[in-house]
Amino acid sequence: MTGMLPPGFRIQRETNTEEFFINMGPQHPSTHGALRLALRMDGETIVELVPHFGYIHRGMEKQAESMSYLQYIALSDRQDYLTAIQNNLGVVIALEKGMNIGVPEKAEYIRVMLQELGRIASHLVFFACFGGDLGGQTCLLYGFKEREMIHDILEEVTGSRLTTNFFRPGGSRYDVPDTFIPRVKAFLDHMDDTMKDYERFLSKNIIVLERSKGIGILSKEDAIAYGCSGPVLRASGVNFDVRRANPYSIYDSFDFEVPVTYNGDCYDRYTVRIAEIHESMKILRQCIDRFPTEGPWRAKEKPVRLPVGRYYSEIETAKGLYATYVVAATTGEKPYRIHTRGPSFPHIAALNKMVQGHKISDLVTILATLDPVIPEIDR
Amino acid sequence: MGIINYAPKILDPIPGGKYVVNAIDYVVNWARANSIWPLTYGTSCCAIEMMSSSMARYDIARFGSEVFRSSPRQADLFILAGTITRRMAPAIQMLWEQIPGPKYAIAMGACTISGGPFIYDNYSVVRGAQNLIPVDVFVPGCPPRPEALFHGLLTLREKILKETCRNPWQVGEPKDVSTMDRYREAAKTWAALEEMKDEEMAEARAKFKEENPDYKSSFKPIRIKKEDFPEVERVPFKRMGLTQSDIYAKLKEKFPAVTVHTHSEDPVEDVVAAMPADRPLEVMVTPEDYLPMVEFIKNDASLKMDYLIDIVGIDYDDHFDVVSQFRSMEHGHKLFLCLQLKKDFSIPEEQRATALLAHAPSISHLYPAAEFKEREVYDMFGIDFVGHPDQRRIFLDDDFVGYPLRKDFTHPEMIRRPV
């Protein structure tokens, strides 16, 4: 195409066919929220993609400057609402570094168990949406069925289904109820059987294989260069998991594997997530065996006042690397600035690289396997 | 309802015709109230609860709303699930206009009712969906449970059943985005009412004291004893890769101008050595050293910072800090480069709010990840990245005035949080 291109498009090429532009979103069922993608098409083939963000930019970082640290924990729920309980921990670890307080053993176990439950819940939504985006409505129903069991546990422990706002510097808001461990045990036993069903649905389904193998390949170098993390990075052959690379909480005391695959296509991103559900269940089983029934469930309560300095924490959520950067310019209850690094933002940045040369129907598959959550990009 | 609305005109003059009209009403409303098809629309957290409500456990099909339509032209109901931003507002009004009448809207969640958690100090959130489109039912919650959404649906059902041929559905007026100041007016009225109430209460209290001079309250507050928790020593997480001192020594050797920002009197080397294991080293870089240093840490074999975590901007009175955060995938250590940029105060004061106050070299040719991150810093702080291939606003509209994360940013729609 010669002449002026719309903003963002860069590739210059000579063609005999006439190119055209398609606008996908901001309201589109398969963009997983308010994301807008501008597509430059050559027939059915995508030449270039430009993402447009900001349709759910809520100015959280500006707001955080007039909030106290504890109030920001509630805001972090609303960034990546699928892994709200994990975001809470990311913020809380940064605050703990600033306050220089530790966490008792039981609180650590509560944290790890809720983290892994949150991870399974998020991956189940991925499973549901991946199946749903490929046209299999059954997967939607199944994925959300088991997720409700996790929501029941979360509701019993934290009082809320989705936006948990649970962890606090030094531990958590409440102790876990007596029914917590039996419930998790029952859930795991149920999940063992159900996972077989799940894998039977998609893993060897010929439609899924045809539509996801060799589609949207992200090479190892590109994945690192674009700052991808989590299952997307591990599917490209990089063995990077913050739980292993920079262990936080008590993750270094558990026996689990980091699933890695090497093709970097859509099917690999799917298998990595399915394998991660299994690993999370493994960690949960170890937690149940070692869960301390005695002992304090939180450290001594202190006012959340951070001394002057900059504090950084990073955790592995279901989507990838979630980092919090807190700047305290004056000792007090309010941050000077809080910045959050969400895992989905770099994934969408790398999307242009993945979709080039693929058909427009493949874009839906690729986007589904990136599993983005848009409010966490826009914040 | 179109042609049926003419039924009363034709049938009422005929003796007994109004019974026929009532029968038509009954049948039509029965059909409409039991098949409300919602539009597949969701922006944030509420959308997940909306999805949950349509899945196996909650099963929205019991109320005839399981058919989520992706096209607004096939939908009857607009469930506004999730926060509405100013940038999304035109899209919502367009979707609303594309839905054929009779159509209904449910505002789901605190954000679409009033702005919810994003009401104060916010420049981008529309405070309430009723500013944009006529809303029939409000469902409170953050996010509301599926049961609450069902209650909203049933309330809407009742509303539909009340509509008749004689009193049909009316098109509500779409509102203008710019008329959102009524919240400030409402807040003023509210404060006045509160004051009035306080005065009345004080009067009543004085009167009561006059009438019963020997009255003594029998109320005694019960104190719940707080559980005692021990103080726990913090154990830093394990260190991976090089120590902070090693990295600092390496940088100091190559770039003598490198320092670490400290508040103590001790020499920098001691401060770096005393850092806890899980605290990343953050060094101060001059703008001239920045680009060579990024190149150096990327290519040096023992540092090998090949992964860009993030770029963060911080606004101070007279300078910006741009913190680029790197990590090494192979070794596991992290390094933060803090680039200090003096604000350009030669720009006249009245233009400063909208002007680019500082310039920094772009590193997007070294790290493709930096391209979007730098656009974010540009959008939020107004820092110009020299050499950036595509410097546009990323989260805000192109015609947005000002840079929101600067400390002196003002916006006409912003309401200060009451202290």
Side-chain angles (χ1 to χ4, degrees):
Chain A
M1 177 180 260
T2 50
M4 282 286 285
L5 287 169
F9 291 98
R10 263 179 252 164
I11 297 175
Q12 295 293 334
R13 68 198 278 267
E14 291 293 323
T15 50
N16 300 324
T17 54
E18 195 180 334
E19 289 179 344
F20 60 98
F21 295 89
I22 289 183
N23 180 48
M24 189 171 165
Q27 188 269 326
H28 191 281
S30 65
T31 52
H32 294 230
L35 172 69
R36 184 177 144 220
L37 302 170
L39 306 170
R40 181 178 168 197
M41 307 289 298
D42 183 0
E44 274 272 288
T45 314
I46 299 170
V47 178
E48 207 178 351
L49 176 146
V50 174
H52 292 260
F53 305 102
Y55 287 91
I56 187 70
H57 173 67
R58 301 187 273 196
M60 279 186 193
E61 288 176 8
K62 182 74 186 172
Q63 246 188 313
E65 288 169 8
S66 63
M67 285 178 150
S68 71
Y69 292 110
L70 285 179
Q71 283 173 320
Y72 186 72
I73 301 175
L75 268 197
S76 76
D77 286 335
R78 283 148 187 91
Q79 286 169 354
D80 183 350
Y81 37 78
L82 293 178
T83 58
I85 194 118
Q86 298 179 325
N87 298 357
N88 291 167
L89 186 65
V91 178
V92 164
I93 286 181
L95 299 185
E96 277 168 4
K97 280 185 184 178
M99 293 163 71
N100 200 14
I101 56 170
V103 184
E105 197 194 1
K106 191 179 177 188
E108 294 276 28
Y109 274 97
I110 295 171
R111 284 183 176 189
V112 169
M113 289 183 81
L114 291 176
Q115 290 286 296
E116 296 309 314
L117 284 174
R119 196 181 313 276
I120 295 175
S122 173
H123 283 338
L124 286 177
V125 174
F126 159 74
F127 174 87
C129 292
F130 180 57
D133 282 350
L134 290 178
Q137 288 287 315
T138 327
C139 297
L140 268 174
L141 294 168
Y142 270 79
F144 274 80
K145 189 174 92 222
E146 265 63 47
R147 195 165 166 272
E148 290 295 339
M149 297 182 75
I150 298 176
H151 273 182
D152 281 350
I153 299 172
L154 283 183
E155 195 178 353
E156 204 176 48
V157 177
T158 69
S160 172
R161 279 161 56 85
L162 207 64
T163 45
T164 48
N165 188 8
F166 186 57
F167 297 126
R168 291 286 180 272
S172 48
R173 254 161 82 203
Y174 319 114
D175 193 4
V176 286
D178 298 339
T179 47
F180 177 58
I181 296 291
R183 263 196 195 244
V184 175
K185 214 182 255 174
F187 166 72
L188 290 177
D189 292 343
H190 171 77
M191 203 63 191
D192 274 341
D193 293 341
T194 324
M195 281 310 288
K196 286 172 198 152
D197 278 354
Y198 279 27
E199 283 168 59
R200 213 170 58 214
F201 277 140
L202 292 185
S203 295
K204 297 202 174 72
N205 185 331
I206 187 72
I207 299 171
V208 173
L209 291 178
E210 292 275 329
R211 284 198 62 181
S212 62
K213 277 213 163 171
I215 302 291
I217 293 175
L218 186 68
S219 70
K220 187 178 171 177
E221 291 73 32
D222 279 343
I224 292 176
Y226 277 98
C228 296
S229 55
V232 177
L233 185 64
R234 291 194 281 277
S236 297
V238 185
N239 190 344
F240 171 70
D241 187 323
V242 186
R243 290 176 293 170
R244 268 286 144 77
N246 283 72
Y248 54 95
S249 196
I250 46 167
Y251 270 110
D252 45 358
S253 67
F254 290 105
D255 170 36
F256 67 99
E257 276 160 36
V258 179
V260 180
T261 51
Y262 295 91
N263 296 327
D265 59 2
C266 288
Y267 186 70
D268 273 17
R269 289 195 275 276
Y270 161 76
T271 46
V272 162
R273 288 199 175 91
I274 293 293
E276 261 181 34
I277 297 182
H278 285 294
E279 294 304 320
S280 290
M281 283 158 64
K282 220 160 110 189
I283 296 174
L284 279 172
R285 285 207 186 282
Q286 291 172 40
C287 280
I288 290 173
D289 291 343
R290 287 153 44 179
F291 193 77
T293 44
E294 295 294 307
W297 52 271
R298 66 161 298 152
K300 193 175 183 201
E301 211 161 339
K302 281 182 182 168
V304 184
R305 294 167 72 84
L306 265 64
V308 177
R310 295 175 180 186
Y311 308 100
Y312 172 84
S313 80
E314 59 179 24
I315 61 160
E316 179 85 15
T317 69
K319 308 280 189 304
L321 174 66
Y322 179 93
T324 313
Y325 191 64
V326 181
V327 180
T330 49
T331 306
E333 287 168 352
K334 282 184 184 175
Y336 191 73
R337 170 144 164 72
I338 288 190
H339 180 81
T340 299
R341 184 248 194 235
S344 297
F345 193 16
H347 293 170
I348 301 295
L351 184 62
N352 182 22
K353 198 92 188 167
M354 287 186 235
V355 296
Q356 282 175 14
H358 284 300
K359 300 277 183 284
I360 191 167
S361 59
D362 295 332
L363 169 63
V364 176
T365 321
I366 296 168
L367 200 59
T369 55
L370 293 182
D371 197 14
V373 170
I374 312 304
E376 174 228 276
I377 298 174
D378 292 350
R379 293 184 298 276
Chain B
M1 282 191 281
I3 198 157
I4 296 170
N5 289 351
Y6 295 102
K9 220 180 245 175
I10 300 160
L11 292 174
D12 273 355
I14 305 167
K18 63 182 177 186
Y19 296 109
V20 182
V21 174
N22 288 350
I24 292 173
D25 267 341
Y26 181 78
V27 173
V28 170
N29 281 347
W30 171 80
R32 285 171 59 226
N34 289 312
S35 66
I36 316 167
W37 290 5
L39 175 71
T40 315
Y41 163 88
T43 55
S44 50
C45 337
C46 290
I48 296 294
E49 286 300 66
M50 190 178 79
M51 278 164 85
S52 289
S53 68
S54 67
M55 295 303 162
R57 175 181 292 183
Y58 291 102
D59 194 12
I60 205 169
R62 293 177 290 161
F63 310 101
S65 301
E66 79 275 27
V67 197
F68 275 85
R69 295 280 90 185
S70 299
S71 166
R73 290 172 186 85
Q74 299 165 344
D76 308 310
L77 169 63
F78 195 176
I79 302 179
L80 289 144
T83 321
I84 303 164
T85 58
R86 289 220 163 72
R87 202 169 184 193
M88 192 71 183
I92 283 171
Q93 283 180 327
M94 194 179 184
L95 282 168
W96 175 250
E97 276 156 22
Q98 283 175 342
I99 301 176
K103 55 192 170 183
Y104 306 93
I106 290 182
M108 183 182 182
C111 296
T112 46
I113 295 172
S114 65
F118 306 102
I119 196 163
Y120 294 120
D121 292 308
N122 208 305
Y123 50 88
S124 66
V125 170
V126 176
R127 297 190 188 92
Q130 74 276 23
N131 290 312
L132 304 171
I133 59 171
V135 177
D136 295 287
V137 180
F138 295 92
V139 182
C142 189
R145 296 174 58 93
E147 290 94 331
L149 181 61
F150 293 156
H151 186 255
L153 261 179
L154 292 175
T155 315
L156 181 66
R157 195 184 126 98
E158 274 166 31
K159 186 175 180 179
I160 293 174
L161 285 175
K162 275 179 201 152
E163 281 171 8
T164 58
C165 302
R166 292 189 181 87
N167 179 23
W169 175 85
Q170 302 281 343
V171 188
E173 295 241 330
K175 310 270 173 50
D176 187 14
V177 194
S178 57
T179 57
M180 262 173 301
D181 229 25
R182 63 195 186 80
Y183 280 92
R184 218 163 289 181
E185 293 300 314
K188 266 183 210 159
T189 337
W190 188 257
L193 282 173
E194 287 284 305
E195 220 165 87
M196 238 165 80
K197 199 180 86 188
D198 286 351
E199 277 168 22
E200 275 172 20
M201 282 301 287
E203 259 173 44
R205 248 183 245 122
K207 201 180 162 196
F208 183 81
K209 225 173 186 181
E210 227 170 71
E211 281 170 9
N212 313 292
D214 338 308
Y215 177 77
K216 243 182 188 171
S217 166
S218 60
F219 173 73
K220 264 183 201 157
I222 308 163
R223 291 202 183 272
I224 300 168
K225 201 173 169 262
K226 267 195 174 175
E227 237 181 297
D228 258 350
F229 295 109
E231 291 207 27
V232 184
E233 194 88 346
R234 178 178 154 72
V235 187
F237 308 141
K238 231 164 48 187
R239 178 194 284 119
M240 295 281 173
L242 297 174
T243 60
Q244 288 98 329
S245 308
D246 287 349
I247 301 174
Y248 183 70
K250 248 179 195 311
L251 290 178
K252 192 84 187 167
E253 190 187 325
K254 183 95 181 171
F255 303 95
V258 156
T259 54
V260 172
H261 184 75
T262 71
H263 293 286
S264 66
E265 302 284 310
D266 304 337
V268 177
E269 277 75 13
D270 295 354
V271 174
V272 172
M275 275 185 185
D278 56 353
R279 181 163 171 199
L281 176 70
E282 185 166 324
V283 296
M284 312 289 283
V285 194
T286 55
E288 300 82 53
D289 274 355
Y290 181 60
L291 209 52
M293 188 182 283
V294 174
E295 263 170 47
F296 169 70
I297 61 170
K298 193 188 178 195
N299 298 326
D300 189 79
S302 58
L303 287 174
K304 212 164 178 235
M305 304 281 180
D306 49 358
Y307 188 85
L308 179 79
I309 300 170
D310 211 341
I311 298 178
V312 186
I314 306 159
D315 177 36
Y316 291 99
D317 285 343
D318 59 339
H319 66 274
F320 294 111
D321 274 3
V322 177
V323 185
S324 315
Q325 308 171 343
F326 301 93
R327 85 174 289 138
S328 167
M329 273 289 161
E330 203 179 308
H331 307 296
H333 49 245
K334 290 185 281 282
L335 173 63
F336 293 2
L337 303 184
C338 179
L339 174 64
Q340 217 170 64
L341 300 167
K342 286 261 170 284
K343 281 186 188 171
D344 183 5
F345 283 126
S346 61
I347 296 166
E349 194 156 353
E350 61 272 14
Q351 290 171 21
R352 263 178 221 161
T354 53
L356 298 171
L357 282 184
H359 304 271
S362 167
I363 55 167
S364 54
H365 59 286
L366 294 167
Y367 296 90
E371 194 187 314
F372 279 48
K373 309 275 188 201
E374 280 174 357
R375 266 177 76 187
E376 189 192 330
V377 177
Y378 163 76
D379 192 0
M380 294 291 144
F381 290 93
I383 297 172
D384 179 29
F385 284 92
V386 181
H388 191 280
D390 182 24
Q391 190 163 279
R392 285 179 292 128
R393 283 192 176 260
I394 187 163
F395 292 149
L396 297 164
D397 286 325
D398 288 334
D399 53 359
F400 190 87
V401 181
Y403 298 98
L405 281 183
R406 285 187 191 167
K407 290 285 174 187
D408 54 357
F409 170 76
T410 52
H411 192 273
E413 300 291 348
M414 243 158 86
I415 305 176
R416 285 262 145 239
R417 181 181 293 274
V419 183

